[in-house]
Amino acid sequence: MTDQTAPPGLGAESLTTADGRPLKAALHRAQARAKRRAFLLVLPLLAFVLLTFVIPIGIMLFRSLNNPDFVSYSDIDSGTEIPVMQNVQAWFAANPQGTEPDEAAYAALAADLVHLKEIKAQGSVGTRINYVLPGSRSLFTSSARDAAKLAPPYKEAVLALDEKWADPAVWQAMRSSAGTITGDFYILAADFERDDSGAIVRTAEKERIYLYLFWRTFFLSGLITLICLVLAFPIAHLLATLPLSKSNLLMILVLLPFWTSLLVRTTSWIVLLQQQGVVNDALVALGLIGTDGRLTMINNQTGTIVAMTHVLLPFMILPLYSVMRTIKPSYVRAARSLGATSWTAFRRVYLPQTLPGMGAGVLLVFILAVGYYITPALVGGADGQLISNMIAFHMSKANWSLAAAIATMLLFSVLILYWLYDRLIGIDNLKLG
Amino acid sequence: MSQAKAGGNAAFVEFSHVQKSYDGVSLVVKDLNLSIGKGEFLTMLGPSGSGKTTCLMMLAGFETATHGEIRLGGREINNIPPHKRGIGMVFQNYALFPHMTVGENLSFPLEVRGMDKAERETKVKRALDMVQMGNFINRRPAQLSGGQQQRIALARALVFDPELVLMDEPLGALDKQLREHMQFEIKGLHDRLGITVVYVTHDQGEALTMSDRVAVFNDGVIQQLDSPDELYERPKNSFVAQFIGENNKLPGTVEELDGHKCLVRLANGELIDATPVNVREKGQQTLVSIRPERVEFKPEMMPKGAHTIRAEVKDVIYMGDILRARLKVAGSDNFVMKMRNTISQTKLAPGETISIGWHPQDARALDPV
Ligand SMILES: Nc1ncnc2c1ncn2[C@@H]1O[C@H](COP(=O)(O)OP(=O)(O)OP(=O)(O)O)[C@@H](O)[C@H]1O
Ligand SMILES: [Mg+2]
């Protein structure tokens, strides 16, 4: 409606302050101080995030691709890196993939085994090969023990020590471990392995675990997220509509789990759900089930679902509540006065306005659930374990590279989901508070 | 209280003996009796917390009456849910659905009535044209100015052709100029469509300019229900006199009382003329109320035999069309007199002493406060 134009001679470019400096420069100067101060204020947080988040994730990514255990041995006593298996590596470099190991190869192996024995690195190297070819660790430790006695011809001598050295799989495993940078751990984490010729093939059917665990993790997380949403919606609605005095009390009940240790909460579910637990006792007492028909609700998937839903529920309630609180009752009233039944008013007017809260809650709960570790470990039994439990398992076995590879895959699948979410719903529609 | 005479028409909306309590301890609406004729523009006017919104919500069906009956078109509607009442409503903050476009907002009431698409589109277009917002059909409410949102809210309340439209302070969030413009438009729509409007406001100017009748609320009770001119010129009690327009109050005791006239003695002993409104007997305490524009200080303008009292000019404020003099009368110095700003108008100077008086019917002896 207004068609005012800038006064003549005052184009945006030529604006200057009273003392003739360009307006933009003056503004920039005036703001620079404030910006510097703001930056100094966030500096500690920046350093903290860098130190505790960015760097560890970087290290994890690096770890998943890097494992030098077959190339060098870090001697704890002297604190130095000692190169190992150099003769075998030289032979690998000289002979292409698929070459049958000849006398030279066995001679190199014998020399390396002697060296391993000297610096006591046979365990470390064996473990590295063991990751790719289970059962190989003992091959290294036992052969290294007697390596000093080896004499030419080396091929017979080594094979006399242990038949397994003739296995092409062993040589293939050593060849693929010969670099510091390797994708082997991703191959393993995706249920693949290298065959004798070095080609990547699927693992035997009954040894495939990771992909299934990934699938189960995402399925259970999705299910838990859905249950949380269904349970949280009415509670959040109640919180948002009750008078303040009552909603405060309810809010305390919602937040109560946050003030109790995760361990206590999880173990109390054991008390409730175990075979001789409160729930089963009550069902038996009510005559709903017989004494011999007690339900198994803990140490299986049910346990994981129940306990994780409980733990994660507040993360769904809070964003939903904060969004619902801002939806004025006059919207639903307006819909009603316009002729909508209460169901239509809810569906067409109220529900769409809670979407940002639902989006935030769903994303939050799902991402937390995908990485959950302690609850499934405590109440999940065998079939309630998630992928994080597998990560923890490999970490406990000091197989850092495989743990890091699985963790990295988890991270990227979550990032992909996040990206999908952004494409479908839009991250700007998210409202956490 | 004056019983409503519904402008000759049969009552379209009727409250009878309606009471409302939210907490079971106090009554927010106390014995409300009100009948509104078809096609009438009735305004509920009153200070904050006087129960206006509550009455409107009971009519719309969002609050239930604690006691009494509400009838619409002769039918009792106490137990009819809001969506079956067919009443259009404009909310104070518009309540336009933020996730729908203007067009979707308007077609919502038509959709829930099961109207087919072609008919919906014509109706939406007609309603938008009615408020001159035809070009905004694809905008979201957040992309509209306050006044534009107001128009859309109005169009949405009218699009399904309700016979009764309720408006709760619909112009409360607009600036003065836009407000006046919208008052004019709402009034125009009312006249053109022949709908019945119940309008809530606490702006008395708005109430006076728009309404056929105004119900002045205070403390859950209708203090007076009358046409705007009656309300302004003949307030029935002190509350109404003070709430509507500017007013001078002179407390005193009734000295003489005969039918249509009385004499009131002020605290400093001076006598003034007044019309008895709700004083019954001699010796009673009263509050005489006089509009500032009805106060005269030139003897020739006063009727013969009228009593005059002395007044000292404290200051005169120049307000353009009028001059506003603040006088000290009977010991209190906030007595106001308004004079037309004409060429021949006498210029009063501060400190000057004058005699003031009025027509007895302009001074109304009301209940003391
Ligand atoms: N939902 C409610 N619960 C309890 N008391 C209420 C409720 N709504 C209104 N009241 C009380 O009822 C009285 C009348 O409120 P109402 O909203 O009808 O006033 P109003 O005349 O519309 O005022 P305003 O001009 O400020 O909108 C007030 O004292 C208010 O505190
Ligand atoms: Mg109100």
Side-chain angles (χ1 to χ4, degrees), chain B residues 86 110 115 123 126 157-164 193 195:
Chain B
L110 308 176
M115 208 172 272
K123 286 212 164 205
R126 205 189 58 198
L158 295 172
V159 71
F160 59 98
D161 301 321
E163 294 188 312
L164 174 62
L193 302 175
I195 47 175

Side-chain angles (χ1 to χ4, degrees), chain B residues 162-181:
Chain B
E163 294 188 312
L164 174 62
V165 177
L166 313 182
M167 304 189 192
D168 190 359
E169 302 196 32
L171 308 179
L174 304 183
D175 63 58
K176 188 166 175 292
Q177 217 167 347
L178 195 54
R179 233 176 133 105
E180 280 165 6
H181 181 72

Side-chain angles (χ1 to χ4, degrees), chain B residues 22 28 46-54 63 169 202:
Chain B
Y22 282 106
V28 170
S48 194
S50 57
K52 310 177 296 286
T53 299
T54 306
E63 294 291 350
E169 302 196 32
H202 54 227

Side-chain angles (χ1 to χ4, degrees), chain A residues 110 177 194 197 215 269 385 399 431:
Chain A
S177 310
R194 283 183 198 273
S197 65
W215 182 84
W269 277 113
Q385 298 295 307
N399 191 353
K431 220 154 131 191

Side-chain angles (χ1 to χ4, degrees), chain B residues 63-84:
Chain B
E63 294 291 350
T64 49
T66 312
H67 174 83
E69 241 182 43
I70 304 172
R71 280 187 291 275
L72 176 64
R75 197 162 61 119
E76 193 198 323
I77 56 169
N78 287 41
N79 293 318
I80 296 181
H83 67 278
K84 291 196 180 142

Side-chain angles (χ1 to χ4, degrees), chain B residues 87-363:
Chain B
I87 298 175
M89 186 146 184
V90 180
F91 291 81
Q92 176 161 13
N93 293 311
Y94 319 134
L96 294 175
F97 307 137
H99 58 291
M100 297 185 190
T101 63
V102 165
E104 286 162 350
N105 261 286
L106 259 73
S107 82
F108 181 84
L110 308 176
E111 269 170 58
V112 299
R113 284 175 171 72
M115 208 172 272
D116 64 61
K117 193 151 182 284
E119 199 179 350
R120 287 206 307 260
E121 273 168 10
T122 33
K123 286 212 164 205
V124 166
K125 193 168 172 335
R126 205 189 58 198
L128 280 179
D129 288 342
M130 194 166 69
V131 292
Q132 294 111 48
M133 293 285 293
N135 297 332
F136 294 80
I137 189 159
N138 289 319
R139 295 263 194 109
R140 299 241 166 200
Q143 299 165 323
L144 300 175
S145 73
Q148 290 167 339
Q149 291 184 37
Q150 175 54 50
R151 283 161 199 247
I152 300 302
L154 199 59
R156 191 179 65 175
L158 295 172
V159 71
F160 59 98
D161 301 321
E163 294 188 312
L164 174 62
V165 177
L166 313 182
M167 304 189 192
D168 190 359
E169 302 196 32
L171 308 179
L174 304 183
D175 63 58
K176 188 166 175 292
Q177 217 167 347
L178 195 54
R179 233 176 133 105
E180 280 165 6
H181 181 72
M182 286 304 297
Q183 287 170 11
F184 178 74
E185 290 205 358
I186 291 176
K187 187 68 188 145
L189 280 173
H190 166 255
D191 292 343
R192 225 166 53 237
L193 302 175
I195 47 175
T196 310
V197 176
V198 180
Y199 191 97
V200 165
T201 180
H202 54 227
D203 178 332
Q204 39 132 335
E206 200 167 291
L208 294 183
T209 53
M210 297 175 81
S211 324
D212 296 329
R213 282 190 307 160
V214 179
V216 181
F217 273 68
N218 189 33
D219 206 12
V221 175
I222 295 185
Q223 302 288 335
Q224 188 170 352
L225 174 64
D226 258 321
S227 59
D229 54 334
E230 278 288 314
L231 215 55
Y232 187 82
E233 282 167 31
R234 282 176 280 283
K236 293 226 167 67
N237 59 37
S238 303
F239 176 81
V240 176
Q242 281 163 54
F243 194 74
I244 311 252
E246 205 177 3
N247 231 318
N248 291 307
K249 295 157 285 186
L250 293 172
T253 23
V254 179
E255 181 88 2
E256 257 175 50
L257 180 68
D258 79 65
H260 306 295
K261 272 186 75 175
C262 67
L263 278 179
V264 175
R265 190 169 292 281
L266 304 181
N268 66 350
E270 284 181 300
L271 272 176
I272 56 169
D273 299 309
T275 305
V277 178
N278 43 16
V279 290
R280 308 265 169 278
E281 58 198 20
K282 275 201 262 183
Q284 207 179 333
Q285 292 290 318
T286 184
L287 195 69
V288 177
S289 113
I290 309 131
R291 297 279 177 207
E293 68 273 20
R294 299 289 169 99
V295 178
E296 301 291 356
F297 69 102
K298 294 173 192 153
E300 68 274 17
M301 299 296 286
M302 285 178 245
K304 278 204 171 58
H307 284 83
T308 59
I309 52 175
R310 273 179 305 106
E312 186 193 333
V313 179
K314 302 300 285 186
D315 50 41
V316 179
I317 298 169
Y318 178 81
M319 296 181 74
D321 52 346
I322 56 160
L323 299 167
R324 189 174 189 275
R326 199 158 58 84
L327 310 176
K328 179 169 181 167
V329 172
S332 124
D333 58 3
N334 48 18
F335 193 97
V336 175
M337 175 171 72
K338 287 182 183 165
M339 302 161 281
R340 286 173 61 218
N341 185 10
T342 57
I343 290 198
S344 55
Q345 187 60 272
T346 318
K347 298 274 180 288
L348 296 176
E352 202 176 324
T353 304
I354 53 175
S355 285
I356 55 168
W358 42 77
H359 284 269
Q361 68 264 31
D362 287 335

Side-chain angles (χ1 to χ4, degrees), chain A residues 231-255:
Chain A
L231 292 178
F233 200 92
I235 299 173
H237 181 67
L238 207 62
L239 269 172
T241 47
L242 276 183
L244 206 61
S245 58
K246 283 182 192 142
S247 73
N248 273 344
L249 185 70
L250 195 63
M251 188 53 115
I252 289 174
L253 293 180
V254 167
L255 293 177

